Coordinates of all heavy atoms in Angstrom, one line a residue:
M1 N 0.8 -1.2 0.0 CA 0.0 0.0 0.0 C 0.9 1.2 0.0 O 0.6 2.2 -0.7 CB -0.9 0.0 1.2 CG -1.8 1.2 1.4 SD -3.0 1.3 0.1 CE -3.8 2.7 0.5
R2 N 1.9 1.2 0.8 CA 2.8 2.4 0.9 C 3.5 2.6 -0.4 O 3.7 3.8 -0.8 CB 3.8 2.2 2.1 CG 4.7 3.4 2.3 CD 5.6 3.1 3.4 NE 5.1 3.8 4.6 CZ 5.7 3.7 5.8 NH1 6.7 2.9 6.0 NH2 5.2 4.3 6.8
N3 N 3.9 1.6 -1.0 CA 4.7 1.7 -2.3 C 3.7 2.3 -3.4 O 4.2 3.2 -4.2 CB 5.2 0.4 -2.8 CG 6.4 -0.1 -1.9 OD1 7.0 0.7 -1.3 ND2 6.7 -1.3 -2.0
K4 N 2.5 1.8 -3.4 CA 1.6 2.4 -4.4 C 1.3 3.9 -4.1 O 1.2 4.7 -5.1 CB 0.2 1.6 -4.4 CG 0.4 0.2 -4.9 CD -0.9 -0.5 -4.8 CE -0.7 -2.0 -5.3 NZ -2.0 -2.7 -5.2
L5 N 1.2 4.3 -2.9 CA 1.0 5.7 -2.6 C 2.2 6.5 -3.0 O 2.0 7.6 -3.6 CB 0.7 5.8 -1.1 CG 0.3 7.2 -0.6 CD1 -1.0 7.7 -1.3 CD2 0.1 7.2 0.9
F6 N 3.3 6.0 -2.8 CA 4.5 6.7 -3.2 C 4.6 6.9 -4.7 O 5.0 7.9 -5.2 CB 5.8 5.9 -2.7 CG 7.1 6.6 -3.1 CD1 7.5 7.7 -2.6 CD2 7.8 6.0 -4.2 CE1 8.7 8.3 -2.9 CE2 9.0 6.6 -4.6 CZ 9.5 7.7 -4.0
I7 N 4.2 5.8 -5.4 CA 4.3 5.9 -6.9 C 3.3 6.9 -7.4 O 3.6 7.7 -8.3 CB 4.0 4.5 -7.5 CG1 5.2 3.6 -7.2 CG2 3.8 4.6 -9.0 CD1 5.0 2.1 -7.6
V8 N 2.1 7.0 -6.8 CA 1.1 7.9 -7.2 C 1.6 9.3 -6.9 O 1.5 10.3 -7.8 CB -0.3 7.6 -6.5 CG1 -1.2 8.8 -6.8 CG2 -0.9 6.3 -7.0
F9 N 2.1 9.5 -5.8 CA 2.7 10.9 -5.4 C 3.8 11.3 -6.3 O 3.8 12.4 -6.8 CB 3.2 10.9 -4.0 CG 3.8 12.2 -3.6 CD1 3.1 13.3 -3.3 CD2 5.2 12.3 -3.5 CE1 3.6 14.5 -3.0 CE2 5.8 13.5 -3.2 CZ 5.0 14.6 -2.9
F10 N 4.7 10.3 -6.7 CA 5.8 10.6 -7.6 C 5.3 11.0 -9.0 O 5.8 12.0 -9.5 CB 6.7 9.4 -7.7 CG 7.9 9.6 -8.5 CD1 9.0 10.4 -8.1 CD2 8.0 9.1 -9.8 CE1 10.1 10.6 -8.9 CE2 9.1 9.3 -10.6 CZ 10.1 10.1 -10.2
L11 N 4.3 10.3 -9.4 CA 3.7 10.7 -10.8 C 3.1 12.1 -10.8 O 3.2 12.8 -11.7 CB 2.8 9.6 -11.2 CG 3.4 8.3 -11.6 CD1 2.3 7.2 -11.8 CD2 4.3 8.3 -12.7
I12 N 2.4 12.4 -9.7 CA 1.7 13.7 -9.6 C 2.8 14.8 -9.5 O 2.7 15.8 -10.2 CB 0.7 13.7 -8.4 CG1 -0.5 12.8 -8.7 CG2 0.3 15.2 -8.1 CD1 -1.4 12.7 -7.5
A13 N 3.8 14.6 -8.7 CA 4.9 15.6 -8.5 C 5.6 15.8 -9.8 O 6.0 16.9 -10.1 CB 5.8 15.1 -7.4
T14 N 5.8 14.7 -10.6 CA 6.5 14.8 -11.9 C 5.7 15.8 -12.8 O 6.3 16.6 -13.5 CB 6.7 13.5 -12.5 OG1 7.4 12.6 -11.6 CG2 7.5 13.6 -13.8
Q15 N 4.4 15.7 -12.8 CA 3.6 16.5 -13.7 C 3.7 18.0 -13.3 O 3.8 18.9 -14.1 CB 2.1 16.1 -13.6 CG 1.9 14.7 -14.2 CD 2.2 14.7 -15.7 OE1 2.0 15.6 -16.5 NE2 2.9 13.6 -16.1
M16 N 3.8 18.3 -12.0 CA 3.9 19.6 -11.5 C 5.3 20.2 -11.9 O 5.4 21.4 -12.3 CB 3.8 19.7 -10.0 CG 2.3 19.5 -9.6 SD 2.1 19.8 -7.8 CE 2.5 18.2 -7.2
V17 N 6.3 19.4 -11.8 CA 7.7 19.8 -12.2 C 7.7 20.2 -13.7 O 8.3 21.1 -14.1 CB 8.7 18.8 -11.9 CG1 10.1 19.1 -12.4 CG2 8.8 18.7 -10.3
S18 N 7.1 19.4 -14.5 CA 7.1 19.6 -16.0 C 6.4 21.0 -16.2 O 6.9 21.7 -17.1 CB 6.4 18.5 -16.7 OG 7.0 17.3 -16.6
A19 N 5.4 21.3 -15.5 CA 4.7 22.6 -15.8 C 5.6 23.8 -15.4 O 5.7 24.8 -16.1 CB 3.5 22.7 -14.9
Q20 N 6.4 23.6 -14.3 CA 7.3 24.7 -14.0 C 8.4 24.9 -15.0 O 8.8 25.9 -15.4 CB 8.0 24.4 -12.6 CG 7.0 24.5 -11.5 CD 6.5 25.9 -11.3 OE1 7.1 26.9 -11.8 NE2 5.4 26.0 -10.5
C21 N 8.9 23.8 -15.6 CA 10.0 23.8 -16.6 C 9.5 24.5 -17.8 O 10.2 25.3 -18.5 CB 10.5 22.5 -16.9 SG 11.4 21.7 -15.6
A22 N 8.2 24.3 -18.2 CA 7.6 24.9 -19.4 C 7.5 26.4 -19.2 O 7.8 27.2 -20.1 CB 6.3 24.3 -19.7
M23 N 7.1 26.8 -18.0 CA 7.0 28.3 -17.7 C 8.4 28.9 -17.8 O 8.5 30.0 -18.3 CB 6.3 28.5 -16.4 CG 4.9 28.1 -16.4 SD 3.8 28.3 -15.0 CE 4.9 28.6 -13.6
C24 N 9.4 28.3 -17.2 CA 10.7 28.8 -17.2 C 11.2 29.0 -18.6 O 11.9 29.9 -19.0 CB 11.7 28.0 -16.4 SG 11.4 28.0 -14.6
K25 N 11.0 27.9 -19.4 CA 11.4 27.9 -20.8 C 10.7 29.1 -21.6 O 11.4 29.8 -22.4 CB 11.0 26.6 -21.5 CG 11.5 26.5 -22.9 CD 11.1 25.1 -23.4 CE 11.5 25.0 -24.9 NZ 11.1 23.8 -25.5
A26 N 9.5 29.4 -21.3 CA 8.8 30.4 -22.0 C 9.4 31.8 -21.6 O 9.5 32.7 -22.4 CB 7.3 30.4 -21.6
V27 N 9.8 31.9 -20.3 CA 10.4 33.2 -19.9 C 11.7 33.4 -20.6 O 12.0 34.5 -21.1 CB 10.6 33.3 -18.4 CG1 11.5 34.4 -18.0 CG2 9.3 33.3 -17.7
V28 N 12.5 32.4 -20.7 CA 13.8 32.5 -21.4 C 13.7 32.7 -22.9 O 14.4 33.5 -23.5 CB 14.7 31.2 -21.1 CG1 16.0 31.2 -21.9 CG2 15.0 31.1 -19.6
E29 N 12.7 32.1 -23.5 CA 12.5 32.2 -24.9 C 11.9 33.6 -25.3 O 11.9 33.9 -26.5 CB 11.7 31.1 -25.5 CG 12.3 29.8 -25.5 CD 11.4 28.7 -26.0 OE1 10.2 28.9 -26.1 OE2 12.0 27.6 -26.3
S30 N 11.5 34.3 -24.4 CA 10.9 35.6 -24.7 C 11.9 36.6 -25.2 O 11.5 37.6 -25.8 CB 10.2 36.2 -23.5 OG 11.1 36.7 -22.5
G31 N 13.2 36.3 -25.0 CA 14.2 37.2 -25.6 C 14.8 38.2 -24.7 O 15.7 39.0 -25.0
D32 N 14.3 38.4 -23.5 CA 14.8 39.3 -22.5 C 16.0 38.8 -21.8 O 15.9 37.9 -21.0 CB 13.7 39.7 -21.5 CG 14.0 40.8 -20.6 OD1 15.1 41.4 -20.8 OD2 13.2 41.2 -19.7
A33 N 17.2 39.2 -22.2 CA 18.4 38.7 -21.7 C 18.6 38.9 -20.2 O 19.1 38.1 -19.4 CB 19.6 39.3 -22.4
E34 N 18.2 40.1 -19.7 CA 18.3 40.4 -18.3 C 17.4 39.5 -17.4 O 17.8 39.0 -16.4 CB 17.9 41.9 -18.0 CG 18.1 42.3 -16.6 CD 17.8 43.8 -16.5 OE1 17.9 44.6 -17.4 OE2 17.5 44.2 -15.3
M35 N 16.2 39.2 -17.9 CA 15.3 38.3 -17.2 C 15.9 36.9 -17.2 O 15.8 36.2 -16.2 CB 13.9 38.4 -17.7 CG 12.9 37.6 -16.9 SD 11.2 37.7 -17.5 CE 10.9 39.4 -17.4
A36 N 16.4 36.5 -18.3 CA 17.0 35.1 -18.3 C 18.2 35.0 -17.4 O 18.4 34.0 -16.7 CB 17.5 34.8 -19.8
E37 N 19.0 36.1 -17.3 CA 20.2 36.0 -16.4 C 19.7 36.0 -15.0 O 20.2 35.2 -14.1 CB 21.0 37.3 -16.6 CG 22.3 37.2 -15.8 CD 23.2 38.4 -16.1 OE1 23.0 39.1 -17.1 OE2 24.1 38.7 -15.2
G38 N 18.6 36.7 -14.6 CA 18.1 36.7 -13.3 C 17.5 35.3 -13.0 O 17.7 34.8 -11.8
L39 N 16.9 34.7 -13.9 CA 16.3 33.3 -13.7 C 17.5 32.3 -13.5 O 17.4 31.5 -12.6 CB 15.5 32.9 -15.0 CG 14.9 31.5 -14.9 CD1 13.9 31.5 -13.8 CD2 14.3 31.2 -16.2
N40 N 18.5 32.4 -14.2 CA 19.7 31.6 -14.0 C 20.3 31.7 -12.7 O 20.7 30.8 -12.0 CB 20.7 31.8 -15.1 CG 20.3 31.1 -16.4 OD1 19.4 30.3 -16.5 ND2 20.8 31.7 -17.5
N41 N 20.4 33.0 -12.2 CA 21.0 33.3 -10.9 C 20.1 32.7 -9.8 O 20.6 32.1 -8.8 CB 21.2 34.8 -10.7 CG 22.3 35.3 -11.5 OD1 23.2 34.6 -11.9 ND2 22.2 36.6 -11.8
G42 N 18.8 32.8 -10.0 CA 17.9 32.3 -9.0 C 18.0 30.8 -8.9 O 17.9 30.2 -7.8
I43 N 18.1 30.1 -10.0 CA 18.3 28.7 -10.1 C 19.6 28.2 -9.3 O 19.6 27.3 -8.5 CB 18.3 28.1 -11.5 CG1 16.9 28.3 -12.1 CG2 18.7 26.7 -11.5 CD1 16.8 28.0 -13.5
V44 N 20.6 29.0 -9.5 CA 21.9 28.7 -8.8 C 21.8 28.9 -7.3 O 22.2 28.0 -6.6 CB 23.0 29.5 -9.4 CG1 24.3 29.4 -8.6 CG2 23.3 29.1 -10.8
Y45 N 21.1 29.9 -6.9 CA 20.9 30.2 -5.5 C 20.0 29.1 -4.9 O 20.3 28.6 -3.8 CB 20.2 31.5 -5.2 CG 21.1 32.7 -5.5 CD1 20.6 33.9 -6.1 CD2 22.5 32.7 -5.2 CE1 21.4 34.9 -6.4 CE2 23.3 33.8 -5.5 CZ 22.8 34.9 -6.1 OH 23.6 35.9 -6.4
L46 N 19.0 28.7 -5.5 CA 18.1 27.7 -5.0 C 18.8 26.3 -5.0 O 18.5 25.5 -4.1 CB 16.8 27.6 -5.9 CG 15.8 28.7 -5.7 CD1 14.7 28.5 -6.8 CD2 15.2 28.7 -4.3
M47 N 19.7 26.1 -5.9 CA 20.5 24.8 -5.9 C 21.5 24.8 -4.8 O 21.8 23.8 -4.2 CB 21.1 24.6 -7.3 CG 21.9 23.4 -7.4 SD 22.7 23.2 -9.0 CE 24.0 24.5 -8.8
A48 N 22.1 25.9 -4.5 CA 23.3 26.0 -3.6 C 22.9 25.9 -2.1 O 23.6 25.2 -1.4 CB 24.0 27.3 -3.8
F49 N 21.8 26.4 -1.7 CA 21.4 26.4 -0.3 C 21.3 25.1 0.3 O 21.7 24.8 1.4 CB 20.2 27.3 -0.1 CG 20.6 28.8 0.0 CD1 20.1 29.7 -1.0 CD2 21.5 29.3 0.9 CE1 20.4 31.0 -1.0 CE2 21.8 30.6 1.0 CZ 21.3 31.5 0.0
P50 N 20.6 24.1 -0.3 CA 20.5 22.8 0.3 C 21.8 22.1 0.5 O 22.1 21.5 1.5 CB 19.7 22.0 -0.7 CG 18.9 23.0 -1.4 CD 19.7 24.2 -1.5
Y51 N 22.8 22.3 -0.5 CA 24.1 21.7 -0.3 C 24.8 22.4 0.8 O 25.6 21.7 1.6 CB 24.9 21.9 -1.6 CG 24.4 21.0 -2.7 CD1 23.7 21.5 -3.8 CD2 24.6 19.6 -2.6 CE1 23.3 20.6 -4.8 CE2 24.2 18.7 -3.6 CZ 23.5 19.3 -4.7 OH 23.1 18.4 -5.7
I52 N 24.7 23.7 1.0 CA 25.3 24.4 2.1 C 24.8 23.9 3.4 O 25.6 23.6 4.4 CB 25.2 25.9 1.9 CG1 26.0 26.4 0.7 CG2 25.6 26.6 3.2 CD1 25.7 27.9 0.3
L53 N 23.5 23.8 3.5 CA 22.9 23.3 4.8 C 23.3 21.9 5.2 O 23.6 21.6 6.3 CB 21.3 23.5 4.7 CG 20.8 24.9 4.6 CD1 19.3 24.8 4.4 CD2 21.1 25.6 5.9
V54 N 23.3 21.0 4.2 CA 23.7 19.7 4.4 C 25.2 19.6 4.8 O 25.6 18.9 5.7 CB 23.4 18.7 3.2 CG1 24.1 17.4 3.3 CG2 21.9 18.6 3.0
G55 N 26.0 20.4 4.2 CA 27.4 20.5 4.5 C 27.7 21.0 5.9 O 28.5 20.4 6.7
V56 N 27.0 22.0 6.3 CA 27.1 22.5 7.7 C 26.6 21.5 8.7 O 27.3 21.3 9.7 CB 26.4 23.9 7.8 CG1 26.3 24.3 9.3 CG2 27.0 24.9 7.0
A57 N 25.5 20.9 8.4 CA 25.0 19.9 9.4 C 25.9 18.7 9.4 O 26.2 18.2 10.5 CB 23.6 19.4 8.9
G58 N 26.5 18.3 8.3 CA 27.5 17.2 8.3 C 28.7 17.5 9.1 O 29.3 16.7 9.8
Y59 N 29.2 18.8 8.9 CA 30.4 19.2 9.6 C 30.2 19.2 11.2 O 31.0 18.6 11.9 CB 30.7 20.6 9.2 CG 31.9 21.2 10.0 CD1 33.2 20.8 9.9 CD2 31.6 22.2 11.0 CE1 34.2 21.4 10.6 CE2 32.6 22.8 11.8 CZ 33.9 22.4 11.6 OH 34.9 22.9 12.3
F60 N 29.1 19.7 11.6 CA 28.8 19.6 13.1 C 28.5 18.2 13.6 O 29.0 17.9 14.7 CB 27.6 20.5 13.4 CG 28.0 22.0 13.4 CD1 27.3 22.9 12.5 CD2 28.9 22.5 14.3 CE1 27.7 24.2 12.5 CE2 29.2 23.8 14.2 CZ 28.6 24.7 13.4
L61 N 27.9 17.4 12.8 CA 27.7 16.0 13.2 C 29.1 15.3 13.3 O 29.3 14.5 14.1 CB 26.8 15.3 12.1 CG 26.4 13.9 12.4 CD1 25.6 13.8 13.8 CD2 25.6 13.3 11.3
Y62 N 29.9 15.5 12.3 CA 31.3 15.0 12.3 C 32.1 15.4 13.6 O 32.7 14.6 14.2 CB 32.0 15.3 11.0 CG 33.5 14.9 11.1 CD1 33.8 13.6 10.8 CD2 34.5 15.8 11.3 CE1 35.2 13.2 10.8 CE2 35.8 15.5 11.3 CZ 36.1 14.1 11.0 OH 37.5 13.8 11.1
K63 N 32.0 16.7 13.9 CA 32.7 17.2 15.1 C 32.1 16.5 16.3 O 32.9 16.1 17.2 CB 32.6 18.7 15.2 CG 33.6 19.4 14.3 CD 33.4 20.9 14.6 CE 34.1 21.3 15.9 NZ 34.2 22.7 16.1
K64 N 30.8 16.4 16.4 CA 30.2 15.8 17.6 C 30.6 14.3 17.7 O 30.9 13.8 18.8 CB 28.7 15.9 17.5 CG 28.0 15.5 18.8 CD 26.5 15.8 18.7 CE 25.9 15.3 20.0 NZ 24.5 15.7 20.1
M65 N 30.5 13.6 16.6 CA 30.9 12.1 16.6 C 32.4 11.9 17.0 O 32.7 11.0 17.6 CB 30.6 11.5 15.3 CG 29.1 11.5 15.0 SD 28.1 10.6 16.1 CE 28.2 9.0 15.5
K66 N 33.2 12.8 16.5 CA 34.7 12.7 16.7 C 35.0 13.0 18.2 O 35.9 12.4 18.8 CB 35.4 13.6 15.8 CG 36.9 13.4 15.8 CD 37.6 14.2 14.8 CE 39.1 14.0 14.9 NZ 39.8 14.8 13.9
K67 N 34.2 14.0 18.8 CA 34.4 14.4 20.1 C 34.0 13.3 21.1 O 34.6 13.1 22.1 CB 33.7 15.7 20.4 CG 34.0 16.4 21.7 CD 33.2 17.7 21.7 CE 33.7 18.6 22.9 NZ 32.9 19.8 23.0
G68 N 32.9 12.7 20.9 CA 32.3 11.7 21.8 C 32.8 10.4 21.6 O 33.2 9.5 22.3

């Protein structure tokens, strides 16, 4: 039951992601270079923060495990 629910959720989430990609593509294809650059910067910022948070948490976890 849990696996089926996960598969249904995954399929629904995939459809929502595709819609976002189409909207981003339309913005970039509009020809406004400044807006496309801002979109690219936003994507980089959104991509970087999870890695930074996981890195900081991993560092503190490593320090705590090494200390104890």
Side-chain angles (χ1 to χ4, degrees):
M1 176 68 180
R2 183 180 261 175
N3 288 340
K4 289 179 183 178
L5 185 62
F6 176 75
I7 291 171
V8 169
F9 176 74
F10 182 75
L11 291 173
I12 291 172
T14 304
Q15 293 299 319
M16 287 186 277
V17 170
S18 295
Q20 292 294 342
C21 291
M23 291 181 348
C24 292
K25 183 179 176 185
V27 167
V28 172
E29 287 178 348
S30 70
D32 189 2
E34 186 176 333
M35 188 178 295
E37 185 178 345
L39 180 64
N40 287 336
N41 288 338
I43 291 170
V44 170
Y45 291 140
L46 288 173
M47 180 184 71
F49 281 115
Y51 288 108
I52 292 170
L53 291 174
V54 169
V56 169
Y59 173 74
F60 284 117
L61 185 62
Y62 172 76
K63 277 184 77 171
K64 185 174 182 173
M65 297 297 274
K66 190 174 179 181
K67 191 176 190 181

